[in-house]
Amino acid sequence: NYGGIKMYPYVLGDVIIHYFGEKGIAVNQKDNNYYYLNKNELILLEKFDGTNSINDIVQEIAEEIQLLDIQRVHSTISNFIKFQKERNLIGLHEIPYYIGTHFTGKKGYEIPMEILLEITNRCNLKCIHCYKEAGYDKQDDINIENLLKKLEFFKGHIHSLQISGGEPMSHRKFYEILDYCTENFETSITTTATMINKHNAHKFNNVKNVQVSVYAATPLDHDKITLVPGSFHRTIRGLQELVSKNNNVTISSIITMENYKKIEELIQLGIEIGVQAIKFGEFSRYGRGVSLGKEWELEKEIDEYVTNQIKDLGEKYEEEIIVENYYDDLLETKFDSNHKGFSCGAGNLSWTISEFGNIKPCVFLPEDKFKTGNIFTDNMDVLFQKNHIRNLHTTMVEWERDLN
């Protein structure tokens, strides 16, 4: 009871609880925060559906653990409720009222929250830093019949799916894949937007977010990276068409030693076009990027400067555009000693699936070294129960040694 009033806890509507093994993750979609949940916290949240009072839950837990000290159980659960309320994960009603919790994953299984699906390695650009080395000369499309059969296994279990490439729109059956994904998953897409026009921009209306790569605010600087003259103008045209059809659009860009002083120009371009958000990332030395010079990598003191600059510019333009923080998608908490992965959650919370069906922890990692399974050839039940990053550290050390 709070102040003598009988209260009924419930999980807030913006929160997703994702099962991972016997533990889990709580995601507050409103503020995009992720929280690790141990087994006991998960059990409690399962009981918070708005119909059980705090006293009911205390009594039930005390019986389950066979503890006679009811006051101790009440104190522990009350502290837990206070803590989760501060995290904006739960609320309290004064009357019983059922509110269903959005659960994903599956108890006992290690199903990721998110999938990044690379449906092709074909691309109409030749970006000099491309980790995938996509281009005109590549012709590998994911098999749509096999893909749709396998995606059935993920329905109801994953939080979101992102379609990527290469240029995903160059897949011969792109719209069939897009329609299936938007009907069954919360779907986003990464694209160059060079193939988007007034005839097809409306086809993205059911996509949660269209992320478009823009490398500079001027044609000369952008096309110098894509190696395709006119690509800047085609990308801008695609962005304008997407915005005109009321799509949710984010510009993404890479910050290097050559362009870190031009971040504000890109933000202003995004505002001029009318996109909802802009995000920035660091250059990753993979694929074609391996041979690029030091001017592509931020020096440590510059990295700190950029982090602060993006934060300041986000506040400056907050009424006009969302400027995502540099390290927004890091998850600080690890699951346990067997799941030591990347801070972004790659391998645990997210899988990348290539056009060949190979599973790897992250888009940047080469599948010949980091493949952990294949959705087309392996049993899905086995894949969902497998620890995909148990040997990640050893493989990373070996790979970095080979690179050097």
Side-chain angles (χ1 to χ4, degrees), residues 255 263 282 298 300-314 323-328:
I255 300 175
I263 292 173
E282 280 189 275
L298 291 179
K300 185 177 180 182
E301 60 272 18
I302 300 298
D303 186 72
E304 294 174 3
Y305 164 79
V306 166
T307 301
N308 293 326
Q309 186 188 29
I310 289 173
K311 184 176 181 293
D312 292 341
L313 289 171
V323 181
E324 296 187 16
N325 288 336
Y326 207 20
Y327 297 113
D328 253 358

mmCIF file with all atom_site columns, all heavy atoms in Angstrom, residues 255 263 282 298 300-314 323-328:
data_model
loop_
_atom_site.group_PDB
_atom_site.id
_atom_site.type_symbol
_atom_site.label_atom_id
_atom_site.label_alt_id
_atom_site.label_comp_id
_atom_site.label_asym_id
_atom_site.label_entity_id
_atom_site.label_seq_id
_atom_site.pdbx_PDB_ins_code
_atom_site.Cartn_x
_atom_site.Cartn_y
_atom_site.Cartn_z
_atom_site.occupancy
_atom_site.B_iso_or_equiv
_atom_site.pdbx_formal_charge
_atom_site.auth_seq_id
_atom_site.auth_comp_id
_atom_site.auth_asym_id
_atom_site.auth_atom_id
_atom_site.pdbx_PDB_model_num
ATOM 1   N N   . ILE A 1 255 ? 31.764 10.739 -39.455 1.00 0.00 ? 255 ILE A N   1
ATOM 2   C CA  . ILE A 1 255 ? 32.639 11.854 -39.094 1.00 0.00 ? 255 ILE A CA  1
ATOM 3   C C   . ILE A 1 255 ? 34.100 11.420 -39.200 1.00 0.00 ? 255 ILE A C   1
ATOM 4   O O   . ILE A 1 255 ? 34.498 10.386 -38.659 1.00 0.00 ? 255 ILE A O   1
ATOM 5   C CB  . ILE A 1 255 ? 32.340 12.343 -37.669 1.00 0.00 ? 255 ILE A CB  1
ATOM 6   C CG1 . ILE A 1 255 ? 30.878 12.812 -37.584 1.00 0.00 ? 255 ILE A CG1 1
ATOM 7   C CG2 . ILE A 1 255 ? 33.268 13.481 -37.285 1.00 0.00 ? 255 ILE A CG2 1
ATOM 8   C CD1 . ILE A 1 255 ? 30.454 13.208 -36.197 1.00 0.00 ? 255 ILE A CD1 1
ATOM 9   N N   . ILE A 1 263 ? 30.029 19.517 -39.379 1.00 0.00 ? 263 ILE A N   1
ATOM 10  C CA  . ILE A 1 263 ? 28.859 18.810 -38.846 1.00 0.00 ? 263 ILE A CA  1
ATOM 11  C C   . ILE A 1 263 ? 27.620 19.691 -38.898 1.00 0.00 ? 263 ILE A C   1
ATOM 12  O O   . ILE A 1 263 ? 26.529 19.246 -39.275 1.00 0.00 ? 263 ILE A O   1
ATOM 13  C CB  . ILE A 1 263 ? 29.139 18.341 -37.405 1.00 0.00 ? 263 ILE A CB  1
ATOM 14  C CG1 . ILE A 1 263 ? 30.217 17.255 -37.408 1.00 0.00 ? 263 ILE A CG1 1
ATOM 15  C CG2 . ILE A 1 263 ? 27.864 17.830 -36.738 1.00 0.00 ? 263 ILE A CG2 1
ATOM 16  C CD1 . ILE A 1 263 ? 30.688 16.856 -36.019 1.00 0.00 ? 263 ILE A CD1 1
ATOM 17  N N   . GLU A 1 282 ? 31.277 6.924  -36.392 1.00 0.00 ? 282 GLU A N   1
ATOM 18  C CA  . GLU A 1 282 ? 32.697 6.941  -36.715 1.00 0.00 ? 282 GLU A CA  1
ATOM 19  C C   . GLU A 1 282 ? 32.980 6.031  -37.903 1.00 0.00 ? 282 GLU A C   1
ATOM 20  O O   . GLU A 1 282 ? 32.262 5.073  -38.158 1.00 0.00 ? 282 GLU A O   1
ATOM 21  C CB  . GLU A 1 282 ? 33.513 6.446  -35.522 1.00 0.00 ? 282 GLU A CB  1
ATOM 22  C CG  . GLU A 1 282 ? 33.745 7.478  -34.452 1.00 0.00 ? 282 GLU A CG  1
ATOM 23  C CD  . GLU A 1 282 ? 34.730 6.976  -33.412 1.00 0.00 ? 282 GLU A CD  1
ATOM 24  O OE1 . GLU A 1 282 ? 34.297 6.281  -32.488 1.00 0.00 ? 282 GLU A OE1 1
ATOM 25  O OE2 . GLU A 1 282 ? 35.928 7.273  -33.546 1.00 0.00 ? 282 GLU A OE2 1
ATOM 26  N N   . LEU A 1 298 ? 39.261 9.639  -36.419 1.00 0.00 ? 298 LEU A N   1
ATOM 27  C CA  . LEU A 1 298 ? 39.324 10.761 -35.501 1.00 0.00 ? 298 LEU A CA  1
ATOM 28  C C   . LEU A 1 298 ? 40.400 10.543 -34.443 1.00 0.00 ? 298 LEU A C   1
ATOM 29  O O   . LEU A 1 298 ? 40.503 9.466  -33.861 1.00 0.00 ? 298 LEU A O   1
ATOM 30  C CB  . LEU A 1 298 ? 37.974 10.940 -34.795 1.00 0.00 ? 298 LEU A CB  1
ATOM 31  C CG  . LEU A 1 298 ? 36.796 11.420 -35.638 1.00 0.00 ? 298 LEU A CG  1
ATOM 32  C CD1 . LEU A 1 298 ? 35.548 11.510 -34.764 1.00 0.00 ? 298 LEU A CD1 1
ATOM 33  C CD2 . LEU A 1 298 ? 37.082 12.755 -36.292 1.00 0.00 ? 298 LEU A CD2 1
ATOM 34  N N   . LYS A 1 300 ? 41.959 11.076 -30.712 1.00 0.00 ? 300 LYS A N   1
ATOM 35  C CA  . LYS A 1 300 ? 41.240 10.936 -29.454 1.00 0.00 ? 300 LYS A CA  1
ATOM 36  C C   . LYS A 1 300 ? 40.669 12.264 -28.948 1.00 0.00 ? 300 LYS A C   1
ATOM 37  O O   . LYS A 1 300 ? 39.498 12.344 -28.567 1.00 0.00 ? 300 LYS A O   1
ATOM 38  C CB  . LYS A 1 300 ? 42.170 10.330 -28.380 1.00 0.00 ? 300 LYS A CB  1
ATOM 39  C CG  . LYS A 1 300 ? 41.447 10.048 -27.075 1.00 0.00 ? 300 LYS A CG  1
ATOM 40  C CD  . LYS A 1 300 ? 42.348 9.380  -26.060 1.00 0.00 ? 300 LYS A CD  1
ATOM 41  C CE  . LYS A 1 300 ? 41.589 9.122  -24.766 1.00 0.00 ? 300 LYS A CE  1
ATOM 42  N NZ  . LYS A 1 300 ? 42.457 8.518  -23.722 1.00 0.00 ? 300 LYS A NZ  1
ATOM 43  N N   . GLU A 1 301 ? 41.503 13.333 -28.969 1.00 0.00 ? 301 GLU A N   1
ATOM 44  C CA  . GLU A 1 301 ? 41.018 14.611 -28.449 1.00 0.00 ? 301 GLU A CA  1
ATOM 45  C C   . GLU A 1 301 ? 39.926 15.196 -29.355 1.00 0.00 ? 301 GLU A C   1
ATOM 46  O O   . GLU A 1 301 ? 39.009 15.881 -28.889 1.00 0.00 ? 301 GLU A O   1
ATOM 47  C CB  . GLU A 1 301 ? 42.172 15.613 -28.272 1.00 0.00 ? 301 GLU A CB  1
ATOM 48  C CG  . GLU A 1 301 ? 42.933 15.943 -29.540 1.00 0.00 ? 301 GLU A CG  1
ATOM 49  C CD  . GLU A 1 301 ? 44.088 14.972 -29.811 1.00 0.00 ? 301 GLU A CD  1
ATOM 50  O OE1 . GLU A 1 301 ? 44.082 13.876 -29.227 1.00 0.00 ? 301 GLU A OE1 1
ATOM 51  O OE2 . GLU A 1 301 ? 44.987 15.340 -30.589 1.00 0.00 ? 301 GLU A OE2 1
ATOM 52  N N   . ILE A 1 302 ? 40.016 14.908 -30.659 1.00 0.00 ? 302 ILE A N   1
ATOM 53  C CA  . ILE A 1 302 ? 38.989 15.371 -31.601 1.00 0.00 ? 302 ILE A CA  1
ATOM 54  C C   . ILE A 1 302 ? 37.687 14.609 -31.367 1.00 0.00 ? 302 ILE A C   1
ATOM 55  O O   . ILE A 1 302 ? 36.592 15.159 -31.465 1.00 0.00 ? 302 ILE A O   1
ATOM 56  C CB  . ILE A 1 302 ? 39.453 15.206 -33.061 1.00 0.00 ? 302 ILE A CB  1
ATOM 57  C CG1 . ILE A 1 302 ? 40.726 16.021 -33.315 1.00 0.00 ? 302 ILE A CG1 1
ATOM 58  C CG2 . ILE A 1 302 ? 38.361 15.623 -34.027 1.00 0.00 ? 302 ILE A CG2 1
ATOM 59  C CD1 . ILE A 1 302 ? 40.558 17.508 -33.116 1.00 0.00 ? 302 ILE A CD1 1
ATOM 60  N N   . ASP A 1 303 ? 37.807 13.330 -31.038 1.00 0.00 ? 303 ASP A N   1
ATOM 61  C CA  . ASP A 1 303 ? 36.634 12.506 -30.757 1.00 0.00 ? 303 ASP A CA  1
ATOM 62  C C   . ASP A 1 303 ? 35.846 13.095 -29.579 1.00 0.00 ? 303 ASP A C   1
ATOM 63  O O   . ASP A 1 303 ? 34.607 13.170 -29.614 1.00 0.00 ? 303 ASP A O   1
ATOM 64  C CB  . ASP A 1 303 ? 37.065 11.069 -30.447 1.00 0.00 ? 303 ASP A CB  1
ATOM 65  C CG  . ASP A 1 303 ? 35.890 10.133 -30.280 1.00 0.00 ? 303 ASP A CG  1
ATOM 66  O OD1 . ASP A 1 303 ? 35.246 9.818  -31.288 1.00 0.00 ? 303 ASP A OD1 1
ATOM 67  O OD2 . ASP A 1 303 ? 35.609 9.720  -29.140 1.00 0.00 ? 303 ASP A OD2 1
ATOM 68  N N   . GLU A 1 304 ? 36.556 13.519 -28.561 1.00 0.00 ? 304 GLU A N   1
ATOM 69  C CA  . GLU A 1 304 ? 35.907 14.135 -27.401 1.00 0.00 ? 304 GLU A CA  1
ATOM 70  C C   . GLU A 1 304 ? 35.247 15.459 -27.791 1.00 0.00 ? 304 GLU A C   1
ATOM 71  O O   . GLU A 1 304 ? 34.134 15.769 -27.366 1.00 0.00 ? 304 GLU A O   1
ATOM 72  C CB  . GLU A 1 304 ? 36.936 14.349 -26.285 1.00 0.00 ? 304 GLU A CB  1
ATOM 73  C CG  . GLU A 1 304 ? 37.476 13.049 -25.699 1.00 0.00 ? 304 GLU A CG  1
ATOM 74  C CD  . GLU A 1 304 ? 38.591 13.282 -24.697 1.00 0.00 ? 304 GLU A CD  1
ATOM 75  O OE1 . GLU A 1 304 ? 38.889 14.474 -24.421 1.00 0.00 ? 304 GLU A OE1 1
ATOM 76  O OE2 . GLU A 1 304 ? 39.167 12.301 -24.206 1.00 0.00 ? 304 GLU A OE2 1
ATOM 77  N N   . TYR A 1 305 ? 35.945 16.215 -28.639 1.00 0.00 ? 305 TYR A N   1
ATOM 78  C CA  . TYR A 1 305 ? 35.402 17.491 -29.113 1.00 0.00 ? 305 TYR A CA  1
ATOM 79  C C   . TYR A 1 305 ? 34.115 17.262 -29.905 1.00 0.00 ? 305 TYR A C   1
ATOM 80  O O   . TYR A 1 305 ? 33.120 17.980 -29.719 1.00 0.00 ? 305 TYR A O   1
ATOM 81  C CB  . TYR A 1 305 ? 36.443 18.197 -29.986 1.00 0.00 ? 305 TYR A CB  1
ATOM 82  C CG  . TYR A 1 305 ? 35.891 19.315 -30.833 1.00 0.00 ? 305 TYR A CG  1
ATOM 83  C CD1 . TYR A 1 305 ? 35.633 20.580 -30.283 1.00 0.00 ? 305 TYR A CD1 1
ATOM 84  C CD2 . TYR A 1 305 ? 35.606 19.111 -32.185 1.00 0.00 ? 305 TYR A CD2 1
ATOM 85  C CE1 . TYR A 1 305 ? 35.111 21.607 -31.063 1.00 0.00 ? 305 TYR A CE1 1
ATOM 86  C CE2 . TYR A 1 305 ? 35.083 20.128 -32.968 1.00 0.00 ? 305 TYR A CE2 1
ATOM 87  C CZ  . TYR A 1 305 ? 34.836 21.368 -32.405 1.00 0.00 ? 305 TYR A CZ  1
ATOM 88  O OH  . TYR A 1 305 ? 34.315 22.374 -33.172 1.00 0.00 ? 305 TYR A OH  1
ATOM 89  N N   . VAL A 1 306 ? 34.131 16.251 -30.790 1.00 0.00 ? 306 VAL A N   1
ATOM 90  C CA  . VAL A 1 306 ? 32.970 15.950 -31.626 1.00 0.00 ? 306 VAL A CA  1
ATOM 91  C C   . VAL A 1 306 ? 31.778 15.522 -30.769 1.00 0.00 ? 306 VAL A C   1
ATOM 92  O O   . VAL A 1 306 ? 30.639 15.940 -31.015 1.00 0.00 ? 306 VAL A O   1
ATOM 93  C CB  . VAL A 1 306 ? 33.328 14.849 -32.658 1.00 0.00 ? 306 VAL A CB  1
ATOM 94  C CG1 . VAL A 1 306 ? 32.076 14.262 -33.300 1.00 0.00 ? 306 VAL A CG1 1
ATOM 95  C CG2 . VAL A 1 306 ? 34.246 15.422 -33.731 1.00 0.00 ? 306 VAL A CG2 1
ATOM 96  N N   . THR A 1 307 ? 32.038 14.689 -29.767 1.00 0.00 ? 307 THR A N   1
ATOM 97  C CA  . THR A 1 307 ? 30.971 14.247 -28.873 1.00 0.00 ? 307 THR A CA  1
ATOM 98  C C   . THR A 1 307 ? 30.268 15.439 -28.231 1.00 0.00 ? 307 THR A C   1
ATOM 99  O O   . THR A 1 307 ? 29.034 15.514 -28.204 1.00 0.00 ? 307 THR A O   1
ATOM 100 C CB  . THR A 1 307 ? 31.536 13.323 -27.774 1.00 0.00 ? 307 THR A CB  1
ATOM 101 O OG1 . THR A 1 307 ? 32.163 12.191 -28.384 1.00 0.00 ? 307 THR A OG1 1
ATOM 102 C CG2 . THR A 1 307 ? 30.420 12.831 -26.860 1.00 0.00 ? 307 THR A CG2 1
ATOM 103 N N   . ASN A 1 308 ? 31.055 16.392 -27.740 1.00 0.00 ? 308 ASN A N   1
ATOM 104 C CA  . ASN A 1 308 ? 30.490 17.586 -27.105 1.00 0.00 ? 308 ASN A CA  1
ATOM 105 C C   . ASN A 1 308 ? 29.806 18.496 -28.122 1.00 0.00 ? 308 ASN A C   1
ATOM 106 O O   . ASN A 1 308 ? 28.754 19.080 -27.844 1.00 0.00 ? 308 ASN A O   1
ATOM 107 C CB  . ASN A 1 308 ? 31.582 18.359 -26.365 1.00 0.00 ? 308 ASN A CB  1
ATOM 108 C CG  . ASN A 1 308 ? 32.122 17.586 -25.173 1.00 0.00 ? 308 ASN A CG  1
ATOM 109 O OD1 . ASN A 1 308 ? 31.381 16.859 -24.514 1.00 0.00 ? 308 ASN A OD1 1
ATOM 110 N ND2 . ASN A 1 308 ? 33.404 17.722 -24.894 1.00 0.00 ? 308 ASN A ND2 1
ATOM 111 N N   . GLN A 1 309 ? 30.410 18.570 -29.323 1.00 0.00 ? 309 GLN A N   1
ATOM 112 C CA  . GLN A 1 309 ? 29.838 19.440 -30.356 1.00 0.00 ? 309 GLN A CA  1
ATOM 113 C C   . GLN A 1 309 ? 28.461 18.938 -30.798 1.00 0.00 ? 309 GLN A C   1
ATOM 114 O O   . GLN A 1 309 ? 27.520 19.730 -30.948 1.00 0.00 ? 309 GLN A O   1
ATOM 115 C CB  . GLN A 1 309 ? 30.772 19.497 -31.572 1.00 0.00 ? 309 GLN A CB  1
ATOM 116 C CG  . GLN A 1 309 ? 30.296 20.491 -32.623 1.00 0.00 ? 309 GLN A CG  1
ATOM 117 C CD  . GLN A 1 309 ? 31.085 20.416 -33.913 1.00 0.00 ? 309 GLN A CD  1
ATOM 118 O OE1 . GLN A 1 309 ? 31.602 19.364 -34.267 1.00 0.00 ? 309 GLN A OE1 1
ATOM 119 N NE2 . GLN A 1 309 ? 31.184 21.532 -34.625 1.00 0.00 ? 309 GLN A NE2 1
ATOM 120 N N   . ILE A 1 310 ? 28.339 17.633 -30.976 1.00 0.00 ? 310 ILE A N   1
ATOM 121 C CA  . ILE A 1 310 ? 27.056 17.061 -31.388 1.00 0.00 ? 310 ILE A CA  1
ATOM 122 C C   . ILE A 1 310 ? 26.001 17.288 -30.311 1.00 0.00 ? 310 ILE A C   1
ATOM 123 O O   . ILE A 1 310 ? 24.850 17.615 -30.607 1.00 0.00 ? 310 ILE A O   1
ATOM 124 C CB  . ILE A 1 310 ? 27.219 15.566 -31.713 1.00 0.00 ? 310 ILE A CB  1
ATOM 125 C CG1 . ILE A 1 310 ? 28.006 15.412 -33.009 1.00 0.00 ? 310 ILE A CG1 1
ATOM 126 C CG2 . ILE A 1 310 ? 25.870 14.862 -31.829 1.00 0.00 ? 310 ILE A CG2 1
ATOM 127 C CD1 . ILE A 1 310 ? 28.379 13.985 -33.362 1.00 0.00 ? 310 ILE A CD1 1
ATOM 128 N N   . LYS A 1 311 ? 26.408 17.143 -29.066 1.00 0.00 ? 311 LYS A N   1
ATOM 129 C CA  . LYS A 1 311 ? 25.478 17.404 -27.951 1.00 0.00 ? 311 LYS A CA  1
ATOM 130 C C   . LYS A 1 311 ? 25.022 18.862 -27.970 1.00 0.00 ? 311 LYS A C   1
ATOM 131 O O   . LYS A 1 311 ? 23.825 19.160 -27.844 1.00 0.00 ? 311 LYS A O   1
ATOM 132 C CB  . LYS A 1 311 ? 26.149 17.069 -26.624 1.00 0.00 ? 311 LYS A CB  1
ATOM 133 C CG  . LYS A 1 311 ? 25.254 17.217 -25.401 1.00 0.00 ? 311 LYS A CG  1
ATOM 134 C CD  . LYS A 1 311 ? 25.987 16.764 -24.147 1.00 0.00 ? 311 LYS A CD  1
ATOM 135 C CE  . LYS A 1 311 ? 25.114 16.888 -22.911 1.00 0.00 ? 311 LYS A CE  1
ATOM 136 N NZ  . LYS A 1 311 ? 24.815 18.303 -22.596 1.00 0.00 ? 311 LYS A NZ  1
ATOM 137 N N   . ASP A 1 312 ? 25.968 19.775 -28.156 1.00 0.00 ? 312 ASP A N   1
ATOM 138 C CA  . ASP A 1 312 ? 25.639 21.210 -28.166 1.00 0.00 ? 312 ASP A CA  1
ATOM 139 C C   . ASP A 1 312 ? 24.757 21.566 -29.362 1.00 0.00 ? 312 ASP A C   1
ATOM 140 O O   . ASP A 1 312 ? 23.796 22.334 -29.234 1.00 0.00 ? 312 ASP A O   1
ATOM 141 C CB  . ASP A 1 312 ? 26.920 22.048 -28.207 1.00 0.00 ? 312 ASP A CB  1
ATOM 142 C CG  . ASP A 1 312 ? 27.732 21.937 -26.921 1.00 0.00 ? 312 ASP A CG  1
ATOM 143 O OD1 . ASP A 1 312 ? 27.155 21.517 -25.899 1.00 0.00 ? 312 ASP A OD1 1
ATOM 144 O OD2 . ASP A 1 312 ? 28.938 22.260 -26.944 1.00 0.00 ? 312 ASP A OD2 1
ATOM 145 N N   . LEU A 1 313 ? 25.076 21.005 -30.531 1.00 0.00 ? 313 LEU A N   1
ATOM 146 C CA  . LEU A 1 313 ? 24.280 21.296 -31.724 1.00 0.00 ? 313 LEU A CA  1
ATOM 147 C C   . LEU A 1 313 ? 22.879 20.697 -31.612 1.00 0.00 ? 313 LEU A C   1
ATOM 148 O O   . LEU A 1 313 ? 21.909 21.255 -32.127 1.00 0.00 ? 313 LEU A O   1
ATOM 149 C CB  . LEU A 1 313 ? 24.992 20.757 -32.978 1.00 0.00 ? 313 LEU A CB  1
ATOM 150 C CG  . LEU A 1 313 ? 26.257 21.519 -33.380 1.00 0.00 ? 313 LEU A CG  1
ATOM 151 C CD1 . LEU A 1 313 ? 27.001 20.771 -34.492 1.00 0.00 ? 313 LEU A CD1 1
ATOM 152 C CD2 . LEU A 1 313 ? 25.916 22.934 -33.841 1.00 0.00 ? 313 LEU A CD2 1
ATOM 153 N N   . GLY A 1 314 ? 22.791 19.552 -30.918 1.00 0.00 ? 314 GLY A N   1
ATOM 154 C CA  . GLY A 1 314 ? 21.484 18.947 -30.685 1.00 0.00 ? 314 GLY A CA  1
ATOM 155 C C   . GLY A 1 314 ? 20.584 19.870 -29.883 1.00 0.00 ? 314 GLY A C   1
ATOM 156 O O   . GLY A 1 314 ? 19.388 19.989 -30.154 1.00 0.00 ? 314 GLY A O   1
ATOM 157 N N   . VAL A 1 323 ? 18.965 15.580 -33.203 1.00 0.00 ? 323 VAL A N   1
ATOM 158 C CA  . VAL A 1 323 ? 20.371 15.231 -33.432 1.00 0.00 ? 323 VAL A CA  1
ATOM 159 C C   . VAL A 1 323 ? 20.724 14.149 -32.427 1.00 0.00 ? 323 VAL A C   1
ATOM 160 O O   . VAL A 1 323 ? 20.827 14.409 -31.230 1.00 0.00 ? 323 VAL A O   1
ATOM 161 C CB  . VAL A 1 323 ? 21.294 16.454 -33.266 1.00 0.00 ? 323 VAL A CB  1
ATOM 162 C CG1 . VAL A 1 323 ? 22.753 16.046 -33.531 1.00 0.00 ? 323 VAL A CG1 1
ATOM 163 C CG2 . VAL A 1 323 ? 20.868 17.571 -34.206 1.00 0.00 ? 323 VAL A CG2 1
ATOM 164 N N   . GLU A 1 324 ? 20.843 12.932 -32.915 1.00 0.00 ? 324 GLU A N   1
ATOM 165 C CA  . GLU A 1 324 ? 21.083 11.807 -32.006 1.00 0.00 ? 324 GLU A CA  1
ATOM 166 C C   . GLU A 1 324 ? 22.476 11.892 -31.417 1.00 0.00 ? 324 GLU A C   1
ATOM 167 O O   . GLU A 1 324 ? 23.442 12.215 -32.109 1.00 0.00 ? 324 GLU A O   1
ATOM 168 C CB  . GLU A 1 324 ? 20.886 10.481 -32.745 1.00 0.00 ? 324 GLU A CB  1
ATOM 169 C CG  . GLU A 1 324 ? 19.453 10.293 -33.224 1.00 0.00 ? 324 GLU A CG  1
ATOM 170 C CD  . GLU A 1 324 ? 19.210 8.918  -33.810 1.00 0.00 ? 324 GLU A CD  1
ATOM 171 O OE1 . GLU A 1 324 ? 20.041 8.010  -33.575 1.00 0.00 ? 324 GLU A OE1 1
ATOM 172 O OE2 . GLU A 1 324 ? 18.203 8.749  -34.508 1.00 0.00 ? 324 GLU A OE2 1
ATOM 173 N N   . ASN A 1 325 ? 22.578 11.594 -30.127 1.00 0.00 ? 325 ASN A N   1
ATOM 174 C CA  . ASN A 1 325 ? 23.873 11.629 -29.455 1.00 0.00 ? 325 ASN A CA  1
ATOM 175 C C   . ASN A 1 325 ? 24.823 10.611 -30.066 1.00 0.00 ? 325 ASN A C   1
ATOM 176 O O   . ASN A 1 325 ? 24.406 9.568  -30.560 1.00 0.00 ? 325 ASN A O   1
ATOM 177 C CB  . ASN A 1 325 ? 23.718 11.371 -27.957 1.00 0.00 ? 325 ASN A CB  1
ATOM 178 C CG  . ASN A 1 325 ? 23.089 12.549 -27.243 1.00 0.00 ? 325 ASN A CG  1
ATOM 179 O OD1 . ASN A 1 325 ? 23.168 13.677 -27.705 1.00 0.00 ? 325 ASN A OD1 1
ATOM 180 N ND2 . ASN A 1 325 ? 22.438 12.279 -26.131 1.00 0.00 ? 325 ASN A ND2 1
ATOM 181 N N   . TYR A 1 326 ? 26.090 10.926 -29.982 1.00 0.00 ? 326 TYR A N   1
ATOM 182 C CA  . TYR A 1 326 ? 27.127 10.131 -30.643 1.00 0.00 ? 326 TYR A CA  1
ATOM 183 C C   . TYR A 1 326 ? 27.103 8.674  -30.204 1.00 0.00 ? 326 TYR A C   1
ATOM 184 O O   . TYR A 1 326 ? 27.261 7.773  -31.007 1.00 0.00 ? 326 TYR A O   1
ATOM 185 C CB  . TYR A 1 326 ? 28.477 10.758 -30.305 1.00 0.00 ? 326 TYR A CB  1
ATOM 186 C CG  . TYR A 1 326 ? 29.558 10.540 -31.325 1.00 0.00 ? 326 TYR A CG  1
ATOM 187 C CD1 . TYR A 1 326 ? 29.276 10.189 -32.632 1.00 0.00 ? 326 TYR A CD1 1
ATOM 188 C CD2 . TYR A 1 326 ? 30.893 10.726 -30.968 1.00 0.00 ? 326 TYR A CD2 1
ATOM 189 C CE1 . TYR A 1 326 ? 30.284 10.021 -33.560 1.00 0.00 ? 326 TYR A CE1 1
ATOM 190 C CE2 . TYR A 1 326 ? 31.910 10.570 -31.902 1.00 0.00 ? 326 TYR A CE2 1
ATOM 191 C CZ  . TYR A 1 326 ? 31.599 10.221 -33.187 1.00 0.00 ? 326 TYR A CZ  1
ATOM 192 O OH  . TYR A 1 326 ? 32.599 10.058 -34.101 1.00 0.00 ? 326 TYR A OH  1
ATOM 193 N N   . TYR A 1 327 ? 26.912 8.431  -28.902 1.00 0.00 ? 327 TYR A N   1
ATOM 194 C CA  . TYR A 1 327 ? 26.978 7.070  -28.378 1.00 0.00 ? 327 TYR A CA  1
ATOM 195 C C   . TYR A 1 327 ? 25.643 6.626  -27.798 1.00 0.00 ? 327 TYR A C   1
ATOM 196 O O   . TYR A 1 327 ? 25.577 5.925  -26.803 1.00 0.00 ? 327 TYR A O   1
ATOM 197 C CB  . TYR A 1 327 ? 28.076 6.966  -27.318 1.00 0.00 ? 327 TYR A CB  1
ATOM 198 C CG  . TYR A 1 327 ? 29.453 7.244  -27.875 1.00 0.00 ? 327 TYR A CG  1
ATOM 199 C CD1 . TYR A 1 327 ? 30.172 8.364  -27.480 1.00 0.00 ? 327 TYR A CD1 1
ATOM 200 C CD2 . TYR A 1 327 ? 30.017 6.387  -28.823 1.00 0.00 ? 327 TYR A CD2 1
ATOM 201 C CE1 . TYR A 1 327 ? 31.430 8.625  -28.002 1.00 0.00 ? 327 TYR A CE1 1
ATOM 202 C CE2 . TYR A 1 327 ? 31.280 6.645  -29.351 1.00 0.00 ? 327 TYR A CE2 1
ATOM 203 C CZ  . TYR A 1 327 ? 31.983 7.761  -28.934 1.00 0.00 ? 327 TYR A CZ  1
ATOM 204 O OH  . TYR A 1 327 ? 33.210 8.006  -29.450 1.00 0.00 ? 327 TYR A OH  1
ATOM 205 N N   . ASP A 1 328 ? 24.553 7.042  -28.442 1.00 0.00 ? 328 ASP A N   1
ATOM 206 C CA  . ASP A 1 328 ? 23.215 6.768  -27.931 1.00 0.00 ? 328 ASP A CA  1
ATOM 207 C C   . ASP A 1 328 ? 22.891 5.293  -27.765 1.00 0.00 ? 328 ASP A C   1
ATOM 208 O O   . ASP A 1 328 ? 22.186 4.905  -26.855 1.00 0.00 ? 328 ASP A O   1
ATOM 209 C CB  . ASP A 1 328 ? 22.162 7.362  -28.875 1.00 0.00 ? 328 ASP A CB  1
ATOM 210 C CG  . ASP A 1 328 ? 21.528 8.592  -28.266 1.00 0.00 ? 328 ASP A CG  1
ATOM 211 O OD1 . ASP A 1 328 ? 21.888 8.917  -27.129 1.00 0.00 ? 328 ASP A OD1 1
ATOM 212 O OD2 . ASP A 1 328 ? 20.679 9.206  -28.919 1.00 0.00 ? 328 ASP A OD2 1
#
